[in-house]
Amino acid sequence: IALILTSLIVVIWVRFGRKTPTATGDIARIAIYPVQAKIAGGAAGMPGMQGQDETINQLLVFAHVRLRNPNQAPITIVDDWGVITLADGSTQRSVGASSADFDKVFQAYPRLAPLRMDPLRRDIQIQPGQSIDGMVVFSYAISRDDWDKRKSMQVTLSFNGAKDMTLNAPTS
């Protein structure tokens, strides 16, 4: 009797207890574009103390993300963000660029045109069995050297009423 009950519990758990993942996916590729800006410390002839010039490093990270909805119901992307873990163990978080900011990046840096693809939009509904892909752009206040020495990068996608999904970016 115990064997039959145990077998029955296992069958019920396998049949009804397992949940289909919210979505499956991967990061097909990562591309980066370093941006360096120099800010002048002060203007000649202006009152006050003269400041020093400051150099600001920024890195634009372009992630080509592919998703598939294995569920029986549609899912909707609500938000996306990326977290990098630097060599010293510290982390930096960046929210993916909005649709308007996505376009502004490619207007500001026309040399990036070969990287451009459709953005992975928030509020896009993915139907059951449907696959989509698109690009997410992140911005980090780090140098190229910091990026090259990073430990990891993960992209997290948040869905409507469902569990978040975190994807590991390729290291090269």
Side-chain angles (χ1 to χ4, degrees):
I1 292 177
L3 181 61
I4 293 172
L5 282 176
T6 304
S7 299
L8 184 61
I9 289 171
V10 169
V11 167
I12 290 171
W13 179 80
V14 168
R15 176 74 174 120
F16 300 107
R18 286 208 241 164
K19 299 288 183 192
T20 305
T22 300
T24 59
D26 67 343
I27 299 174
R29 72 174 199 254
I30 293 283
I32 61 169
Y33 186 73
V35 178
Q36 194 173 63
K38 187 167 264 191
I39 299 173
M46 296 296 290
M49 293 180 60
Q50 184 75 14
Q52 292 183 338
D53 290 349
E54 183 179 357
T55 301
I56 297 175
N57 290 309
Q58 180 182 8
L59 194 72
L60 298 176
V61 178
F62 302 85
H64 174 188
V65 177
R66 297 185 290 207
L67 297 175
R68 183 175 176 342
N69 179 4
N71 297 298
Q72 299 300 317
I75 58 175
T76 303
I77 299 172
V78 176
D79 202 4
D80 52 63
W81 61 90
V83 175
I84 58 170
T85 303
L86 300 173
D88 65 1
S90 65
T91 60
Q92 286 194 21
R93 184 178 191 261
S94 175
V95 175
S98 67
S99 293
D101 289 339
F102 183 90
D103 290 333
K104 288 177 185 175
V105 166
F106 291 98
Q107 290 169 1
Y109 304 105
R111 292 182 7 202
L112 295 173
L115 290 176
R116 188 172 187 146
M117 62 185 302
D118 290 337
L120 187 66
R121 296 185 342 261
R122 292 179 187 105
D123 298 327
I124 190 168
Q125 191 174 70
I126 308 167
Q127 297 299 322
Q130 181 184 10
S131 295
I132 63 165
D133 67 331
M135 181 171 282
V136 184
V137 179
F138 303 103
S139 174
Y140 297 99
I142 62 171
S143 67
R144 170 74 187 253
D145 189 50
D146 291 334
W147 172 261
D148 290 340
K149 294 177 182 175
R150 79 190 184 285
K151 290 182 179 180
S152 66
M153 179 184 182
Q154 285 133 355
V155 173
T156 300
L157 298 160
S158 177
F159 299 97
N160 62 329
K163 186 177 176 186
D164 295 350
M165 180 179 69
T166 299
L167 303 170
N168 291 312
T171 55
S172 56

